[in-house]
Amino acid sequence: MNIEFKKHLLAHNTFGIDSIAEEFAQIQTEDELMEVLQYANKNQTALHVMGGGSNILFVHDMKGIVLLNQLKGMQIAYEDKEVVHVKCMSGEVWHECVLWSVAHHVGGIENLSLIPGTIGAAPIQNIGAYGVELKDVFVELEAIHLHTLEKKIFTNQECAFAYRDSIFKTKEKGNYFILSVTMALSKQPICKTTYGTIQQELNEMQVDAVSIKSVSDAVIRIRRSKLPNPAEIGNAGSFFKNPEITTAHYEQLKNTYEDMPSFDTVNGKKIPAAWLIEKCGWKGYREGDFGVHNKQALVLVNYNHAKGSDILSLSEKIISSVQEKFSIQLEREVNIW
Ligand SMILES: Cc1cc2nc3c(=O)[nH]c(=O)nc-3n(C[C@H](O)[C@H](O)[C@H](O)COP(=O)(O)OP(=O)(O)OC[C@H]3O[C@@H](n4cnc5c(N)ncnc54)[C@H](O)[C@@H]3O)c2cc1C
């Protein structure tokens, strides 16, 4: 086990914030993981599990150990005429697994192309994009309890997946290290092209016969044109979740804001947070090295040397102004550390 002290985390988070970890360990094998967990338990040290750092905003230096997950490997766990169950180790890069599925003509995750980060983080917030969520293909995951070191299988139902949510953000928050995730991919995939501008992009690409490869390519093209590349401008994708409001609240707002977009949900209406933020005048806002992206109001950005606390307080101002104007409480999607 190799523990590094006072490790700079600048290169390990897409926001590009230079937090310093008191202790830092990278693990490539399950044995190395066990050593770090035992070490943390013995010394009663806080342990923070990280993958690609694409959904974290550091607001201070990290006490305890930051554990960087690099458990690699993929295998087919089950296969029949219709489906393939792929078991991916949690340190695998999510998009690499999408590319694997496309190359092997098994569908279900092509709409989730180019989401940054690791397989192990995907269930935490039930990653989603373009009408698909991880839960749609999720079979089970294996996790290890950080303190008892007991292993446990969580089924789809046990993960309690919801919109950008799972049991690992609520009841079991910070309790488990996810070791692997198994997904069911279809050998006769039905491509989902109706969400967002996928169909329009396919038309522009002059695709006649839609395939999982063309859908993946279309999603990649759309994302590249819409979202800032973290390699160029620090960000963690959508900073806020799209809020859900009651139908009565929606009807009331609609009297004033006729152009307010919405999506039906089981309990009411979902309103795009980007629209609310833009209506409050934040789109393109910049203060020194931090601000709100000028093309995508949902994305807060670090232009150069912003502090995490600056970005957090900007998010607080945005939450207050949306609350004041629309009586809607925005919730952060990004994990604040
Ligand atoms: C440009 C950009 C676009 C994005 N687009 C989307 C999108 O379309 N849809 C979407 O859902 N998300 C999106 N995201 C957010 C992000 O990519 C996902 O949340 C991703 O799953 C995070 O993976 P990660 O490995 O970087 O996790 P990290 O940021 O390292 O960690 C995130 C959380 O997961 C926990 N975690 C990580 N690995 C494990 C593990 N093995 N066991 C237990 N806990 C773990 C961490 O403790 C932390 O709480 C985007 C981010 C960026 C930067």
Side-chain angles (χ1 to χ4, degrees):
M1 179 180 63
N2 180 22
I3 301 268
E4 295 173 61
F5 296 90
K6 296 210 186 307
K7 171 85 175 177
H8 286 261
L9 299 174
L10 182 65
H12 296 289
N13 70 103
T14 59
F15 246 126
I17 305 288
D18 196 13
S19 169
I20 296 173
E22 196 173 22
E23 297 181 66
F24 179 83
Q26 301 193 35
I27 55 114
Q28 259 126 26
T29 64
E30 229 180 288
D31 285 348
E32 286 174 356
L33 169 67
M34 292 306 282
E35 274 185 64
V36 177
L37 297 184
Q38 280 157 358
Y39 170 86
N41 282 336
K42 193 170 145 227
N43 297 309
Q44 298 191 324
T45 307
L47 191 114
H48 316 276
V49 180
M50 265 188 88
S54 63
N55 206 12
I56 293 172
L57 175 67
F58 291 113
V59 293
H60 46 64
D61 289 342
M62 298 302 294
K63 289 241 155 59
I65 304 178
V66 169
L67 173 61
L68 189 74
N69 176 22
Q70 296 193 323
L71 291 182
K72 301 284 185 191
M74 275 173 77
Q75 67 181 82
I76 292 176
Y78 170 81
E79 186 169 6
D80 63 24
K81 270 191 258 165
E82 278 149 25
V83 81
V84 172
H85 287 192
V86 192
K87 181 176 175 180
C88 305
M89 295 308 287
S90 55
E92 285 289 345
V93 171
W94 170 263
H95 183 59
E96 293 295 324
C97 298
V98 176
L99 293 180
W100 181 93
S101 75
V102 170
H104 289 81
H105 311 290
V106 284
I109 52 175
E110 57 281 359
N111 292 43
L112 304 177
S113 294
L114 216 61
I115 296 182
T118 54
I119 283 279
I124 304 287
Q125 71 159 11
N126 177 29
I127 58 168
Y130 296 96
V132 174
E133 290 181 323
L134 176 72
K135 73 168 171 50
D136 303 332
V137 295
F138 182 93
V139 177
E140 62 180 31
L141 63 79
E142 189 178 23
I144 182 161
H145 195 280
L146 296 185
H147 302 303
T148 65
L149 306 187
E150 271 171 46
K151 283 188 180 174
K152 179 171 158 60
I153 300 286
F154 287 81
T155 62
N156 193 317
Q157 215 185 350
E158 284 167 334
C159 288
F161 288 126
Y163 166 64
R164 299 294 185 276
D165 203 14
S166 75
I167 195 168
F168 304 104
K169 291 196 87 172
T170 54
K171 204 172 134 215
E172 298 294 0
K173 189 177 163 96
N175 286 343
Y176 281 93
F177 178 98
I178 294 170
L179 286 164
S180 67
V181 174
T182 304
M183 297 180 285
L185 303 177
S186 172
K187 289 187 176 176
Q188 282 105 35
I190 300 165
C191 294
K192 293 188 181 161
T193 60
T194 54
Y195 198 97
T197 54
I198 296 184
Q199 190 54 57
Q200 195 184 317
E201 196 68 34
L202 289 167
N203 295 344
E204 275 170 31
M205 290 159 61
Q206 300 184 325
V207 169
D208 299 327
V210 175
S211 63
I212 57 169
K213 165 100 173 77
S214 59
V215 171
S216 172
D217 288 345
V219 169
I220 290 172
R221 282 166 57 120
I222 298 168
R223 293 183 68 101
R224 286 205 171 124
S225 70
K226 274 193 172 173
L227 289 169
N229 179 355
E232 289 157 16
I233 304 176
N235 76 90
S238 303
F239 199 90
F240 303 98
K241 296 184 189 182
N242 291 321
E244 201 177 335
I245 59 174
T246 61
T247 311
H249 189 176
Y250 166 79
E251 297 296 350
Q252 183 211 331
L253 287 172
K254 197 76 180 164
N255 288 332
T256 318
Y257 305 101
E258 281 174 19
D259 60 336
M260 185 171 73
S262 67
F263 304 94
D264 289 338
T265 63
V266 186
N267 302 316
K269 299 273 187 187
K270 196 171 272 185
I271 314 294
W275 185 88
L276 298 167
I277 296 167
E278 192 174 342
K279 281 281 162 186
C280 289
W282 290 107
K283 193 173 179 181
Y285 172 87
R286 180 166 178 172
E287 196 179 327
D289 269 351
F290 61 96
V292 179
H293 195 249
N294 56 10
K295 280 199 203 150
Q296 177 48 270
L298 209 45
V299 180
L300 303 194
V301 290
N302 170 13
Y303 288 103
N304 207 350
H305 299 298
K307 285 195 256 157
S309 54
D310 289 337
I311 293 168
L312 180 64
S313 62
L314 172 60
S315 77
E316 275 156 9
K317 287 182 193 158
I318 292 172
I319 291 172
S320 299
S321 67
V322 168
Q323 174 68 42
E324 207 171 298
K325 196 174 177 82
F326 298 102
S327 301
I328 294 176
Q329 182 69 28
L330 286 186
E331 222 183 291
R332 293 183 192 92
E333 181 179 315
V334 171
N335 300 282
I336 309 297
W337 278 20

